[in-house]
Amino acid sequence: MPMNLKSPYRVVIKFSLAVALLVATAYGASRLKEAPQGQTRVAMLVAKMVERFHISHQSIDDDVSEKFLERYLKDLDPRKLYFTKADVELLRQKSKSLDDEIKAGDVSFAFTTYKLFTHRLLERIKKAQVLIDSEHDFNADEEMVVDAKETDWATEAELDERWRKQIKYDLLVLKLGDDSDADKVAEDAGAVKRDDADTPAKTLAEAKKRLHKRYANIVTMTKQTEPEQILEMFLTALTTTFDPHSSYMSASTLEEFQIAMRLKLQGIGAALRVTDGYTVVAEVVPGGAADADGRLKEGDKIIGVGQGEDGEITDVVEMKLSKVVKMIRGPKGTVVRLQVKPADGSETKIYDLTRQVIELKSSRVTGEIIDTGKRIEGRREKIGVINIPSFYRDFDAAQNGVADASSTATDVKKVLRSFASQGGVDGIIIDLRNNGGGALIEAIDVSGLFIDDGPVVQVKSSTGRVEALDDETSGVAYSGPLMVITNRLSASASEIFAGVIKDYKRGILVGDTTTHGKGTVQSVRPVDTEFRLNKSEPTGGALKITIQQFYRVNGDSTQNRGVTTDVSLPSLIDHFDIGESFLDNALEFDQVSPADYAATAAVNPEIISALKKDSQKRVLADKGFQRDERVISRYLKRKNRKTVSLNEEEMRREREESKADKDEEKDDTEKKPGENKPKEIFPDKHYNNEVLAIMLDYIDLLHKGTTAKAR
């Protein structure tokens, strides 16, 4: 039957031929493997699962298709430095057809577009390497646009100019160093310290050498991208058009997710990172095989990996970190051989290590008792601090009845018993800073340790039905004075716990003005068990999909708004654009009817007012917080700038201002190169000490004239 080549067929064929010709001409024979068998089925199933299970029950239609395409382009080229305007116009011809293709399992757009992106990246990096060695006028008064929202996709000539300025900026940053003082303020407030701040290069020649290496590494890593990673990015671009927390996880990403929940893996026990193409030991995990062996140190470079006692060593320099990690991990009892360049500069060595089950203890609940007399003059109270990094749970082990299955609630109970065995404490601080959430059941169980039986959280399903989930265990594990510390990175399950403590008036909240604002519940559903047609087909990873929305017992959602603190402290990250309200396609805040619960009398407006007043006096007089405020003030002045100066003296002046405000006190808690030093739970710093002071004020207000310790 003859085909009438009218729209949309003509457009589709024109698009396919145009992109295929462009890629074939510029890229030659494809250096990227085609999608492996099974990805068509995975795409079809993911599309079906999203429509069926997502809380919105939205169909994948033309509107979703447009958002889907734009999201994929943004994920590939967020700063609009690689694709040209003509490329994007060509790709947008598919904006109304991706919905039909994905439902039919056609993922060719993902791979064709990625090939085009790779080609453009190779073109641009080649030009960048030339620009690095070009002459740059660092005295010229010119600026570079840094906000991608303020730029459009560019022509070839416009991209050339963007890259000239980008290289000039990179060289200036390498010459002068990054603003490390802001990092310190953020770290003091509980944020994760950035690991990408460059130390100053001694000369312009050194800066150029380092920049050449950096861009060469970008090319190397891009070429090592696997088909499953491309599919993961593509399908996640689809799911995030529904909400920012729904995503497709490839088999390898799913494994990492499960490790994070179990807090167990089989390997040697070393956290790794990449620096200048080298795999570098970031941390030796206490109690692991590497720690017991004693030879591998933080800062060592792993340059080769071999399997078994006699296995050939494979060079891993400039190899993607995920591949190196996969080579080092393996079944318990097997041997892995590491070729190592020690951090101390000594000659290269070979270490044979026997893999074992590694418990990620640094990610588990930890606790310590602080003797306040050593930090705050005139005080003698004992304050227990419990750090909860996440709400983890080994679901498989728990289901199989394993006695010591990983569980946040179980570990918190152990710490509470430890406090009691040491003579008790006068108050407890729960540190939830940077806790991104985890298992809902763990948030409920941990809440039950501090409140008597009653509702903990309300959950609304896609049908609109609201159900209260209760702490069904009578009694509490601890009934004394309680404080919870949060920041903008405290999300999801953390917000459930913080909301419970606030609504029941069980304790006070201190930290950033509010938490992250993630009020949704995700379910992880393996793709190969949904609508499964053939059991012999390989796994297709899993879909993490938003299926419910949760609410505090007072009826408020935590969505977008988070949980506000009772006493807020100066914090740089409190001014960052971090939180649900800054994410694309985030669900809206709403409310349901309050649950039936009984609040205590441990908190009232008078107590909060007094705590705020006294804290503010101390903060205003504290040199550490004074420095923090100066850094915050400078940040706010720069925050809304759409451009950055490319004048060396101007950039140097900004950095000198930062250096002038650094603390004079030496931080003895920092690790020295090659030292495997355990991380402190609650370091002796001005921010943490003010938290302790607020806690002591709270104890005084609650128990004036009472010296009995809570057991």
Side-chain angles (χ1 to χ4, degrees):
M1 182 177 179
M3 181 181 293
N4 183 8
L5 291 179
K6 291 184 179 179
S7 182
Y9 303 108
R10 182 175 295 173
V11 172
V12 173
I13 292 175
K14 180 182 177 182
F15 167 84
S16 301
L17 290 174
V19 175
L21 180 62
L22 175 62
V23 174
T25 301
Y27 208 60
S30 173
R31 300 177 193 178
L32 180 70
K33 292 183 290 186
E34 295 300 324
Q37 187 177 6
Q39 289 198 347
T40 291
R41 183 183 65 90
V42 168
M44 289 177 64
L45 297 186
V46 166
K48 286 182 180 180
M49 292 169 69
V50 170
E51 289 186 323
R52 178 175 175 180
F53 298 119
H54 193 270
I55 189 172
S56 68
H57 285 304
Q58 181 181 355
S59 298
I60 299 175
D61 54 18
D62 285 356
D63 289 339
V64 169
S65 183
E66 288 188 72
K67 292 180 181 179
F68 179 16
L69 186 145
E70 295 301 323
R71 184 75 220 186
Y72 188 49
L73 296 182
K74 182 178 180 180
D75 290 344
L76 286 173
D77 190 3
R79 296 182 58 206
K80 300 171 185 167
L81 289 174
Y82 299 103
F83 286 129
T84 65
K85 188 173 185 178
D87 292 336
V88 173
E89 288 174 351
L90 184 63
L91 295 170
R92 281 175 174 165
Q93 291 180 19
K94 301 280 278 184
S95 63
K96 297 287 189 182
S97 59
L98 282 186
D99 54 326
D100 298 319
E101 291 183 9
I102 199 72
K103 286 190 282 189
D106 183 357
V107 293
S108 57
F109 181 84
F111 291 87
T112 304
T113 303
Y114 192 85
K115 288 178 183 178
L116 176 58
F117 167 73
T118 303
H119 168 61
R120 292 302 185 213
L121 181 141
L122 295 176
E123 278 185 333
R124 281 295 150 193
I125 298 300
K126 185 176 181 180
K127 289 185 177 183
Q129 298 288 24
V130 174
L131 284 169
I132 291 171
D133 292 323
S134 300
E135 292 296 323
H136 297 277
D137 184 0
F138 296 114
N139 296 316
D141 290 324
E142 63 177 344
E143 296 179 321
M144 180 181 76
V145 177
V146 291
D147 187 350
K149 294 178 182 177
E150 299 297 311
T151 63
D152 198 357
W153 299 102
T155 64
E156 285 280 356
E158 290 169 338
L159 277 180
D160 287 343
E161 179 63 5
R162 281 185 193 178
W163 273 92
R164 180 190 68 80
K165 290 184 176 181
Q166 180 64 50
I167 296 302
K168 183 177 179 180
Y169 174 79
D170 288 341
L171 288 171
L172 277 172
V173 170
L174 284 169
K175 281 184 67 180
L176 302 176
D178 210 341
D179 187 355
S180 58
D181 194 48
D183 287 339
K184 189 177 190 307
V185 178
E187 185 184 17
D188 285 349
V192 178
K193 187 175 181 180
R194 293 184 307 174
D195 195 34
D196 60 353
D198 290 299
T199 54
K202 295 179 181 179
T203 63
L204 180 59
E206 182 185 340
K208 289 182 176 181
K209 181 179 179 181
R210 286 165 64 173
L211 198 54
H212 275 304
K213 181 68 173 176
R214 178 189 298 174
Y215 281 111
N217 286 338
I218 291 175
V219 171
T220 301
M221 297 303 167
T222 301
K223 287 181 178 180
Q224 293 179 37
T225 302
E226 297 290 337
E228 74 164 16
Q229 295 172 298
I230 298 169
L231 184 71
E232 181 177 61
M233 188 186 304
F234 187 58
L235 294 181
T236 295
L238 168 66
T239 59
T240 51
T241 64
F242 288 77
D243 83 283
H245 303 292
S246 293
S247 64
Y248 168 71
M249 296 188 287
S250 65
S252 57
T253 301
L254 177 60
E255 181 184 1
E256 295 298 323
F257 175 81
Q258 291 169 336
I259 287 171
M261 293 302 290
R262 295 192 305 260
L263 294 186
K264 288 182 181 180
L265 59 83
Q266 295 187 61
I268 63 169
L272 308 175
R273 58 182 168 83
V274 173
T275 302
D276 292 334
Y278 286 98
T279 297
V280 180
V281 178
E283 179 185 5
V284 176
V285 178
D291 183 42
D293 179 82
R295 291 176 292 177
L296 196 66
K297 303 292 184 183
E298 181 179 335
D300 287 355
K301 295 176 180 177
I302 299 174
I303 61 174
V305 179
Q307 305 300 328
E309 297 179 1
D310 303 314
E312 182 180 349
I313 298 290
T314 300
D315 185 356
V316 298
V317 176
E318 296 189 344
M319 183 180 288
K320 207 160 192 173
L321 183 60
S322 59
K323 291 185 178 181
V324 180
V325 169
K326 191 176 291 187
M327 293 172 67
I328 293 176
R329 287 181 186 166
K332 174 185 175 182
T334 59
V335 173
V336 61
R337 304 174 70 217
L338 304 182
Q339 186 176 22
V340 177
K341 290 181 67 173
D344 61 13
S346 58
E347 63 182 25
T348 300
K349 298 177 175 63
I350 301 289
Y351 300 154
D352 289 9
L353 298 172
T354 301
R355 299 178 178 104
Q356 64 183 50
V357 175
I358 306 297
E359 292 194 10
L360 304 179
K361 294 182 179 179
S362 63
S363 298
R364 296 188 84 113
V365 169
T366 53
E368 68 174 327
I369 296 177
I370 304 292
D371 180 351
T372 57
K374 295 180 179 179
R375 299 198 188 185
I376 300 174
E377 187 177 352
R379 303 304 300 229
R380 59 182 184 180
E381 288 84 354
K382 306 292 184 183
I383 302 298
V385 177
I386 302 177
N387 180 269
I388 305 180
S390 69
F391 287 89
Y392 50 84
R393 182 182 179 88
D394 189 338
F395 286 97
D396 290 339
Q399 188 173 2
N400 293 327
V402 177
D404 198 27
S406 293
S407 162
T408 304
T410 298
D411 289 344
V412 170
K413 282 188 280 189
K414 289 178 181 178
V415 173
L416 291 174
R417 287 196 293 267
S418 171
F419 289 169
S421 69
Q422 296 177 65
V425 293
D426 297 287
I428 286 179
I429 296 172
I430 306 292
D431 193 344
L432 296 180
R433 287 175 292 181
N434 307 332
N435 184 321
L440 177 62
I441 183 64
E442 291 297 327
I444 294 171
D445 288 350
V446 173
S447 298
L449 299 176
F450 301 96
I451 65 167
D452 207 340
D453 56 337
V456 171
V457 63
Q458 301 186 84
V459 178
K460 183 170 71 174
S461 68
S462 58
T463 64
R465 180 174 177 268
V466 177
E467 178 186 7
L469 304 181
D470 295 352
D471 161 36
E472 298 179 350
T473 304
S474 297
V476 296
Y478 171 76
S479 60
L482 183 67
M483 173 192 286
V484 179
I485 320 174
T486 60
N487 64 7
R488 289 273 181 175
L489 298 173
S490 305
S492 194
S494 294
E495 296 172 285
I496 291 175
F497 179 79
V500 168
I501 300 306
K502 184 162 187 174
D503 292 339
Y504 275 83
K505 301 185 186 303
R506 175 63 185 84
I508 56 172
L509 269 60
V510 175
D512 288 356
T513 53
T514 189
T515 55
H516 189 85
K518 179 183 177 294
T520 55
V521 180
Q522 285 71 44
S523 171
V524 177
R525 298 173 179 266
V527 172
D528 61 353
T529 60
E530 299 290 345
F531 312 104
R532 195 166 184 177
L533 301 176
N534 187 343
K535 293 184 179 180
S536 66
E537 291 178 339
T539 181
L543 183 65
K544 179 164 70 74
I545 188 164
T546 299
I547 58 169
Q548 295 173 324
Q549 197 163 349
F550 65 76
Y551 300 80
R552 291 162 53 179
V553 293
N554 72 351
D556 286 353
S557 169
T558 61
Q559 184 65 18
N560 280 330
R561 299 184 185 181
V563 182
T564 57
T565 51
D566 298 311
V567 182
S568 61
L569 296 175
S571 159
L572 183 66
I573 63 169
D574 204 10
H575 300 280
F576 289 170
D577 290 345
I578 295 175
E580 192 81 2
S581 61
F582 296 101
L583 300 178
D584 293 337
N585 306 314
L587 301 180
E588 296 295 327
F589 168 86
D590 68 340
Q591 296 169 303
V592 296
S593 299
D596 184 13
Y597 70 102
T600 72
V603 179
N604 59 50
E606 290 75 22
I607 286 177
I608 293 173
S609 178
L611 294 176
K612 283 181 176 179
K613 183 178 178 181
D614 290 341
S615 176
Q616 188 175 31
K617 287 180 182 178
R618 289 189 297 267
V619 166
L620 289 174
D622 186 271
K623 291 183 179 179
F625 281 115
Q626 289 171 6
R627 177 184 59 80
D628 292 352
E629 292 285 13
R630 289 194 292 270
V631 174
I632 291 169
S633 178
R634 285 199 305 275
Y635 169 75
L636 291 176
K637 288 179 182 178
R638 300 196 299 258
K639 178 180 178 180
N640 296 320
R641 292 189 314 189
K642 308 300 181 184
T643 61
V644 63
S645 174
L646 297 179
N647 179 278
E648 182 171 355
E649 287 307 311
E650 176 67 18
M651 192 179 286
R652 188 188 303 277
R653 182 186 62 78
E654 289 185 356
R655 278 153 176 72
E656 286 177 351
E657 284 182 357
S658 297
K659 292 175 183 177
D661 286 334
K662 284 187 177 180
D663 286 339
E664 295 179 1
E665 296 179 7
K666 184 179 179 181
D667 186 359
D668 293 326
T669 66
E670 292 182 3
K671 295 180 182 178
K672 299 179 176 66
E675 180 182 19
N676 296 333
K677 187 176 181 180
K679 182 181 177 181
E680 288 191 74
I681 296 173
F682 205 66
D684 185 356
K685 295 183 177 182
H686 68 277
Y687 190 100
N688 291 344
N689 290 341
E690 174 55 26
V691 169
L692 287 173
I694 296 170
M695 185 64 181
L696 294 176
D697 287 347
Y698 182 46
I699 291 172
D700 288 344
L701 291 169
L702 285 177
H703 304 293
K704 215 164 189 179
T706 301
T707 58
K709 293 182 179 180
R711 302 282 175 164

